[in-house]
Amino acid sequence: MVIDDFFIAIILIAGLIVGFAGINIYRYAVIAMSGAGGYMLGSIVCKNFLNGMVGEGIFRESNTSSVDSFVIAVFVLAGIGLAFAFYNIMGAVTAGIGSAFIFARIAQVFMGLDVMTMMVAACIGAIIGATLGYLAVKANGWPMIIFTALCGARMASYTGALYLRKTAIASTIAKPVIGYVQSTFPDQALRVSLSIELFIVLTILGIVVQSFLRDD
């Protein structure tokens, strides 16, 4: 879908900017994070709730692509609008939601698909993400560097893995991690492995680069 390709490319670029310069452009970093979060939520809503309804009722004249494009665009614009108006709190909110998904995914990798375990992990992730987002605003400095490096790395690693998995060297790069995720995500093992590796590398690089570029 064209809109997917467009947003994925934008999120990748925005993630790199947030991860490497977030402390100096925090308000814009939050807007980028919220827009990316809107894209993720919009995609989830389309995949799990709307796609099966296309061709029925009020959707009878629509196709899957047009419905998805409209819904995702609405979610992205809503995220950007909320971040623009409430950037002091939207960083924590977005990080809390994003961390909930990450911790739930980590629980899946190491503990299987147990629903209760995933819910507990998601709650822990939400608390940690929101707390770090709160500290980033209140304490600035290193908390903000770590926060934006993590958020930018998450954005860039997710989207970057989608591109990297299509390359000839993808399977070689993924070897250190793929064994841990193969059983839980057999159909997505390559993408998940690449995303994990990129997340770790980009987080470290983001913290190092921001420590030199900071002007706070």
Side-chain angles (χ1 to χ4, degrees):
M1 185 166 54
V2 175
I3 193 170
D4 271 335
D5 295 336
F6 172 76
F7 279 124
I8 287 171
I10 294 297
I11 292 171
L12 174 59
I13 296 170
L16 292 173
I17 294 173
V18 171
F20 292 140
I23 190 173
N24 297 332
I25 53 168
Y26 182 71
R27 182 164 190 162
Y28 300 103
V30 172
I31 291 173
M33 289 160 46
S34 297
Y39 169 79
M40 301 297 182
L41 289 176
S43 297
I44 291 172
V45 169
C46 290
K47 180 179 179 180
N48 294 290
F49 300 104
L50 296 181
N51 287 354
M53 299 172 62
V54 174
E56 300 180 5
I58 62 173
F59 295 105
R60 62 182 178 275
E61 302 298 333
S62 303
N63 57 54
T64 301
S65 180
S66 62
V67 171
D68 286 0
S69 298
F70 175 76
V71 172
I72 289 173
V74 169
F75 271 82
V76 170
L77 291 174
I80 290 173
L82 287 171
F84 184 81
F86 308 107
Y87 80 95
N88 279 325
I89 62 172
M90 281 303 294
V93 171
T94 303
I97 296 173
S99 294
F101 280 102
I102 293 173
F103 274 66
R105 183 57 64 93
I106 292 173
Q108 284 182 280
V109 171
F110 292 103
M111 302 179 190
L113 300 174
D114 179 68
V115 175
M116 183 58 67
T117 300
M118 290 171 58
M119 290 179 63
V120 172
C123 289
I124 294 173
I127 293 171
I128 292 175
T131 300
L132 186 55
Y134 173 81
L135 291 175
V137 174
K138 293 299 180 181
N140 209 322
W142 281 105
M144 187 174 288
I145 287 177
I146 295 171
F147 175 70
T148 53
L150 285 168
C151 292
R154 170 57 180 159
M155 294 164 62
S157 64
Y158 176 85
T159 51
L162 296 175
Y163 289 112
L164 188 58
R165 68 178 177 175
K166 301 175 183 178
T167 65
I169 60 172
S171 57
T172 302
I173 297 174
K175 278 185 178 179
V177 176
I178 199 168
Y180 295 100
V181 304
Q182 186 74 57
S183 59
T184 309
F185 306 101
D187 298 328
Q188 305 178 54
L190 182 61
R191 181 188 64 78
V192 173
S193 300
L194 293 170
S195 182
I196 292 171
E197 292 176 343
L198 285 173
F199 177 74
I200 294 171
V201 171
L202 291 174
T203 296
I204 295 171
L205 288 176
I207 291 172
V208 172
V209 170
Q210 288 200 60
S211 68
F212 286 102
L213 297 182
R214 61 189 292 185
D215 59 10
D216 58 319

